[in-house]
Amino acid sequence: MKLQEYRSKEILDRHGVPLLAGRTATTPEEARAAAEEIGGPVVVKAQVLVGGRGKAGGVKLASDPDEAEQKAREIIGLDIKGITVRTVLVAPAAEIAHEYYLGLILDRAAKAITVIASAEGGVEIEETARTNPDAILRLPLHPLIGLQEHQSRRVAFFLGIPADLRKDFGRVMRGLFDAFVQSDADLAEINPLVVTDDGRLLALDAKIVLDDSALPRHPDLEAMRDLNEEEPSEIAAREAGISFIKLDGNIGCMVNGAGLAMTTMDLVKLAGGEPANFLDIGGGAKADKVTAAFRIILDDPNVKAILINIFGGITRGDEVARGIVEARSQLEREVPMVVRIVGTNEAEAKPILAEAQLITADSLDDAAAKAVAAAGGAA
Amino acid sequence: MSILVNADTRLLVQGITGREGEFHSTAMLEYGTNIVAGVTPGKGGQTALDGRVPVFDTVADAVEQAGANASCIFVPAAFAPDAMLEASEAGIPLVICITENVPALDMLRVYHVLRARGTRLIGPNCPGLTSVDEAKVGIIPGNIHRRGPVGLVSRSGTLTYEVVQAMTDAGMGQTTCVGIGGDPIIGTSFIDVLDMFNQDPETEAIVMIGEIGGEEEEKAAAFCAREVGKPMAAFIAGRTAPPGRRMGHAGAIISSGGGGTAESKRTALEEAGIRVADSPSHIPQLLRDAGVG
């Protein structure tokens, strides 16, 4: 789960990372009030979970409260990569002398939390990795003992942090590491970390991505979820315990297992169709889950056919078959359904499907072809 | 021969009295797996699976009293890291964790502790493995297999079954099928399993099933080019997956910078001389083309 900048900063602030917190505003008037309270020049920043806010006109400087109100009026309601800006962060403006990139990632290759640092701050790290890979330091931390002081020093020397700010930099590293570990993050980055003209070290922008698997033990962080930025169907899916991602095609997919769900999408495409979604009903799917999955898929008016592909393992085929038949009887919209069920309790599933007169398929290629045909042919 | 598990495997099931644990333990017993013990804290002294398996309070008891030498874990995510550590501490050399949604930072610690002790961990978030006609550990349906010369390794669960079924239908049997799991931090990598298959005299060919995210397939491709002389075929799921979105598995994500795509993996495998199938059903033919069967 991605956190908004102001949420990420709240967490870093709690762990002692120096920053100019600012205040959020959802109306131009609130932005003015925030600027008045802060005093002096401010920066008004769109709070959206997509990159490239600055280029899209979502980050603007304002020298006084009047201007802050005006800039907030321009930014609130702005569409940035399909997301409508609802909230802005109003924060004190800083005079920047140097910018750095400092991040921690869950490093799957190194099996560690790894520090990523670059003296090219303010630029996306992927960009630096492409253009100037030598400017990046990657430093895996020991998974059992965590961040050590010498490692913070090494990063400080690599970045060329001014001598009088090295202690502060150590606090930034410690705070970032503690924030990462204590919130179960996948990514925590400060970009840019800056040295100001008046010699302060500050986190000007921050981004934290949390490990979804760990969210159950962090209800306080779960509460930071921004529902405005999620597809309503994806919210409904999460509440039903279904893994779902909306796409642009017209063939709805209901599959058990993430790998098979991706493969089903790939084969729909190979058969000349376009998948409308990724959907994994997960292990042990029951009738109520299948019902929820149907509702979620059919909520998309583009869907012209549904391909159901269940290969039993944890999931029992007869339960799914019964669920499909039961759920279908409750649907308001009817679309052709192609069903393939194989594996655990496969034999028990077949008569249930036959009786309900659903289109059946034995192989996945066959199922994909039938679904594409049922949706009106190749796209 | 086979790899990792065989007729000598004396399996312990952690979480045997839970709903999934019980269901799949029954299927494992029916397949012929020698389940010697179950562990559910607080239910020591009872039996599970209609009196066929003794239940112990701790893994240490199961090792001492029932001689367990492998453990399959079905406990909920919140308890799975502890279960893996308990199995390792009790001296179990092979731990297979089926549980999904184990927090990644817990897995970092578990990974390194188990590695330091020499415990082989498969998973988490995996379907387990089957050495055909010898032992089935986990949740792979037993009836899809047929004994034969092909080893299979996969990051996926149900997609693995799909490929195994296609191979069996084509008359192409398997030695061992291993699901290594779809999480970012897993105990056993593609390379670990490819190496075992490469050294297993009975395994004549290898199938590898990957998916988007990370760079394990690319590393495996380089390993195969260097070390593996046996014929291979592969499939990579997620060609239609959008970047920046987690496709169900915690590890299945194309980074917003564009790393970990199906295309990149496919290219790496093909450059290593491995044929990559467009559909799981094409794998038997690719193996035949490579001289198998």
Side-chain angles (χ1 to χ4, degrees):
Chain A
M1 180 177 102
K2 290 180 191 167
L3 293 179
Q4 296 284 10
E5 175 192 359
Y6 74 97
R7 295 296 200 183
S8 304
K9 283 181 170 172
E10 272 174 41
I11 293 172
L12 292 182
D13 192 24
R14 227 182 285 151
H15 288 95
V17 173
L19 45 79
L20 304 171
R23 285 182 42 190
T24 55
T26 54
T27 64
E29 294 72 28
E30 280 177 25
R32 160 190 278 277
E36 275 168 357
E37 191 175 307
I38 290 165
V42 293
V43 58
V44 183
K45 307 172 85 175
Q47 297 297 291
V48 286
L49 296 173
V50 291
R53 291 177 300 171
K55 279 181 201 147
V59 180
K60 290 185 190 305
L61 274 166
S63 52
D64 55 41
D66 275 349
E67 205 183 350
E69 181 177 342
Q70 182 201 326
K71 298 296 183 196
R73 186 161 283 125
E74 290 167 27
I75 294 172
I76 293 169
L78 192 69
D79 185 281
I80 301 181
K81 295 181 184 171
I83 306 289
T84 305
V85 179
R86 291 163 192 271
T87 304
V88 292
L89 175 64
V90 182
E95 298 292 332
I96 299 170
H98 289 288
E99 295 185 279
Y100 310 94
Y101 173 95
L102 183 64
L104 291 174
I105 57 160
L106 175 76
D107 187 339
R108 355 184 356 163
K111 304 275 194 297
I113 298 168
T114 291
V115 180
I116 310 277
S118 158
E120 298 189 4
V123 183
E124 282 191 27
I125 195 72
E126 291 89 352
E127 179 66 23
T128 309
R130 265 192 302 275
T131 56
N132 191 8
D134 292 344
I136 297 176
L137 173 73
R138 290 179 71 103
L139 182 64
L141 306 178
H142 194 286
L144 303 181
I145 61 172
L147 177 72
Q148 302 298 304
E149 297 303 319
H150 68 89
Q151 294 170 317
S152 293
R153 287 198 301 274
R154 181 168 163 203
V155 179
F157 285 114
F158 173 82
L159 292 176
I161 300 291
D164 58 334
L165 290 174
R166 268 183 224 135
K167 257 196 183 140
D168 288 349
F169 183 78
R171 276 195 281 276
V172 171
M173 286 284 291
R174 175 59 52 195
L176 186 63
F177 179 77
D178 289 348
F180 188 101
V181 171
Q182 286 174 34
S183 49
D184 272 298
D186 274 346
L187 167 84
E189 70 176 20
I190 300 172
N191 187 25
L193 174 72
V194 304
V195 173
T196 60
D197 281 350
D198 56 357
R200 287 177 299 160
L201 191 66
L202 294 172
L204 277 206
D205 197 352
K207 177 164 128 189
I208 293 179
V209 180
L210 301 172
D211 175 7
D212 292 338
S213 295
L215 279 176
R217 63 185 178 201
H218 298 291
D220 54 328
L221 300 177
E222 174 64 52
M224 291 184 174
R225 189 183 287 281
D226 193 336
L227 295 175
N228 288 324
E229 289 214 20
E230 296 187 19
E231 287 279 345
S233 53
E234 291 181 8
I235 297 169
R238 192 177 51 249
E239 283 166 0
I242 291 167
S243 182
F244 174 83
I245 292 168
K246 192 181 172 306
L247 302 167
D248 298 328
N250 62 4
I251 297 171
C253 300
M254 187 194 302
V255 188
N256 68 321
L260 192 57
M262 281 188 272
T263 303
T264 304
M265 288 160 46
D266 294 349
L267 290 185
V268 163
K269 179 96 174 175
L270 197 69
E274 288 289 340
N277 63 274
F278 165 92
L279 190 151
D280 171 11
I281 54 171
K286 296 283 188 34
D288 55 342
K289 233 173 175 182
V290 176
T291 306
F294 270 134
R295 295 235 163 88
I296 289 157
I297 292 171
L298 287 172
D299 194 45
D300 177 356
N302 292 333
V303 171
K304 298 287 181 281
I306 297 178
L307 167 49
I308 300 158
N309 183 25
I310 304 297
F311 208 124
I314 278 186
T315 308
R316 299 164 177 87
D318 56 334
E319 278 179 12
V320 178
R322 241 175 260 119
I324 291 165
V325 173
E326 189 186 312
R328 194 182 60 156
S329 67
Q330 296 169 18
L331 295 174
E332 286 157 24
R333 186 155 77 91
E334 281 219 11
V335 299
M337 291 185 189
V338 180
V339 188
R340 174 181 180 248
I341 298 178
V342 206
T344 305
N345 295 4
E346 170 183 341
E348 290 85 341
K350 286 216 161 114
I352 300 168
L353 295 173
E355 197 179 324
Q357 293 172 329
L358 290 153
I359 307 171
T360 56
D362 284 331
S363 78
L364 179 48
D365 305 280
D366 181 35
K370 282 177 173 163
V372 173
Chain B
M1 282 273 289
S2 49
I3 64 166
L4 292 162
V5 294
N6 56 34
D8 297 328
T9 298
R10 296 176 61 80
L11 188 71
L12 153 71
V13 177
Q14 289 173 264
I16 198 168
T17 55
R19 184 174 174 277
E20 299 300 338
E22 190 176 2
F23 178 83
H24 291 292
S25 295
T26 304
M28 285 190 265
L29 266 190
E30 282 165 6
Y31 191 82
T33 309
N34 185 17
I35 303 182
V36 298
V39 162
T40 299
K43 293 195 180 174
Q46 301 181 14
T47 58
L49 313 186
D50 300 325
R52 288 178 287 181
V53 176
V55 177
F56 299 92
D57 283 325
T58 68
V59 177
D61 288 346
V63 170
E64 198 177 302
Q65 295 171 45
N69 61 14
S71 180
C72 185
I73 295 175
F74 283 100
V75 307
F79 312 111
D82 190 49
M84 288 181 259
L85 293 169
E86 184 184 357
S88 171
E89 190 165 302
I92 299 264
L94 175 66
V95 176
I96 298 103
C97 185
I98 309 302
T99 309
E100 63 179 327
N101 296 320
V102 179
L105 292 187
D106 290 358
M107 271 319 299
L108 277 188
R109 289 185 280 271
V110 170
Y111 175 90
H112 289 281
V113 171
L114 265 60
R115 196 180 168 80
R117 272 205 201 101
T119 310
R120 162 71 59 199
L121 171 67
I122 311 272
N125 190 15
C126 81
L129 70 162
T130 306
S131 284
V132 182
D133 296 344
E134 294 180 55
K136 158 180 138 75
V137 177
I139 63 174
I140 302 176
N143 58 1
I144 62 176
H145 294 287
R146 169 197 171 115
R147 182 80 191 186
V150 185
L152 182 144
V153 58
S154 170
R155 258 170 82 186
S156 185
T158 51
L159 174 56
T160 307
Y161 317 161
E162 183 76 43
V163 175
V164 171
Q165 181 82 67
M167 288 169 59
T168 294
D169 287 350
M172 199 165 274
Q174 308 95 40
T175 48
T176 301
C177 298
V178 187
I180 57 174
D183 275 358
I185 307 295
I186 50 176
T188 294
S189 69
F190 275 127
I191 292 176
D192 296 332
V193 180
L194 289 167
D195 195 26
M196 290 180 223
F197 279 138
N198 200 32
Q199 292 178 36
D200 174 34
E202 202 196 330
T203 299
E204 294 167 18
I206 306 167
V207 171
M208 176 178 148
I209 311 298
E211 63 187 31
I212 56 163
E215 48 197 33
E216 288 301 313
E217 288 83 355
E218 286 88 336
K219 285 191 201 156
F223 174 81
C224 291
R226 218 170 45 236
E227 306 278 343
V228 180
K230 297 180 181 183
M232 287 189 66
F235 178 77
I236 303 291
R239 272 171 295 171
T240 49
R245 302 299 307 268
R246 231 166 257 284
M247 306 302 283
H249 289 158
I253 181 166
I254 298 169
S255 75
S256 45
T261 62
E263 240 3 86
S264 140
K265 293 170 189 299
R266 187 178 179 125
T267 305
L269 288 163
E270 286 176 344
E271 280 171 2
I274 300 165
R275 298 276 303 275
V276 182
D278 284 326
S279 163
S281 67
H282 300 172
I283 283 179
Q285 189 57 49
L286 292 190
L287 286 172
R288 258 188 222 107
D289 293 349
V292 183

